């Protein structure tokens, strides 16, 4: 299933006789997570110290500030590594559809197992087909506030199906609102301010083709 979400996209404009400036516009994307944004290297387009007052910016962002997915300072680790997450998949709660699964060939007799053996088989299946969202903190740079976002990815190191062939892919996303330092014009004529922008994040992964 394709995900329709807003992708932050930067476009460079170069007015005649002037310095380049950045424009920010949302454009649709079927690909998550959001690719790294290529910023103009000129520090003239960075917010100054007086533009980074945390109290002012928190007030501007208001109820959109979500400490679970954004941080002002460098945060700690967000999630286990891919290998650790894969090892822990079998310990996740079994979904209802898997608990109701009838074991056995499609047109053959149902496989009869004891309660304990059945649970072990189902846990083994779940460990190989479950697709958790793996979170890691990403630094968006000084032109975003808060500058750190907890971004989700789908574990795609190996197939999640039996037989192999399917992989974990994003199926749902949520949108978080950040502030973006946005400049128009060039040289001494430019005007810069913080504007709200939406940033899509993977919220659910599923084993699919």
């Amino acid at each position: 299933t394709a995900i329709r979400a807003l992708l932050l996209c930067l476009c460079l404009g170069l007015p005649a006789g002037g310095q380049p400036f950045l424009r920010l516009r949302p454009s649709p994307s079927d690909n998550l997570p959001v690719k790294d944004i290529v910023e103009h290297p000129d520090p003239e387009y960075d917010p100054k110290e007086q533009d980074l007052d945390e109290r002012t910016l928190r007030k501007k962002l208001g109820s959109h500030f979500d400490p679970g997915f954004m941080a002002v300072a460098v945060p700690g680790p967000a999630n286990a590594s891919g290998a650790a997450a894969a090892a822990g998949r079998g310990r996740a709660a079994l979904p209802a559809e898997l608990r109701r699964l009838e074991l056995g060939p499609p047109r053959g007799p149902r496989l009869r197992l004891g309660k304990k053996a059945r649970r072990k088989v189902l846990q083994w299946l779940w460990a190989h087909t479950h697709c958790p969202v793996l979170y890691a903190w990403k630094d968006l740079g000084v032109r975003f506030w808060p500058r750190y976002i907890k971004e989700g990815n789908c574990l795609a190191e190996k197939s999640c199906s039996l037989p192999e062939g399917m992989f974990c892919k994003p199926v749902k996303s949520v949108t978080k609102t950040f502030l973006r330092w946005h400049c128009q014009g060039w040289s001494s004529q430019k005007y810069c301010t913080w504007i709200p922008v939406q940033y899509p994040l993977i919220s659910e992964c599923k084993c699919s083709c």
Side-chain angles (χ1 to χ4, degrees):
T1 304
I3 295 177
R4 293 291 175 187
L6 291 178
L7 172 64
L8 297 175
C9 178
L10 291 176
C11 296
L12 277 174
L14 186 58
Q19 296 298 317
F21 62 91
L22 292 174
R23 286 179 184 164
L24 176 74
R25 63 179 177 84
S27 62
S29 172
D30 289 331
N31 300 311
L32 287 179
V34 173
K35 296 185 184 302
D36 290 341
I37 295 169
V38 179
E39 299 276 20
H40 193 282
D42 191 343
E44 273 296 310
Y45 296 95
D46 291 347
K48 305 299 185 283
E49 187 177 350
Q50 63 268 25
D51 301 313
L52 293 167
D53 180 69
E54 184 175 343
R55 186 173 180 180
T56 302
L57 294 177
R58 275 184 180 267
K59 186 176 180 180
K60 189 174 183 68
L61 192 58
S63 60
H64 293 297
F65 185 85
D66 184 349
F69 284 89
M70 51 186 72
V72 178
V74 181
N79 207 324
S81 66
R89 286 191 291 187
R91 296 192 294 271
L94 296 176
E97 60 267 26
L98 191 58
R99 292 198 301 270
R100 293 193 298 265
L101 181 68
E102 291 188 2
L103 300 175
R107 293 192 175 92
R110 196 172 79 176
L111 185 63
R112 297 188 177 276
L113 292 172
K115 190 174 181 179
K116 193 172 181 180
R118 173 182 167 81
R119 180 165 183 80
K120 283 189 174 183
V121 170
L122 294 180
Q123 285 177 331
W124 182 84
L125 285 173
W126 186 230
H128 284 77
T129 59
H130 178 43
C131 290
V133 179
L134 304 178
Y135 289 102
W137 287 102
K138 179 178 180 178
D139 185 356
L140 297 175
V142 71
R143 295 174 191 174
F144 281 87
W145 196 92
R147 68 180 288 171
Y148 298 97
I149 184 171
K150 192 168 74 171
E151 195 170 54
N153 281 275
C154 297
L155 184 65
E157 295 172 359
K158 62 179 182 178
S159 176
C160 55
S161 64
L162 298 170
E164 295 185 355
M166 300 169 71
F167 293 87
C168 294
K169 295 182 180 180
V171 290
K172 286 185 182 179
S173 66
V174 295
T175 301
K176 299 296 177 181
T177 299
F178 285 72
L179 297 178
R180 168 69 170 164
W181 187 246
H182 178 49
C183 295
Q184 288 186 315
W186 61 97
S187 188
S188 59
Q189 303 296 319
K190 73 178 184 300
Y191 169 74
C192 301
T193 189
W194 290 104
I195 61 172
V197 293
Q198 293 186 322
Y199 198 107
L201 298 169
I202 295 170
S203 61
E204 185 179 332
C205 302
K206 190 174 183 180
C207 191
S208 59
C209 298

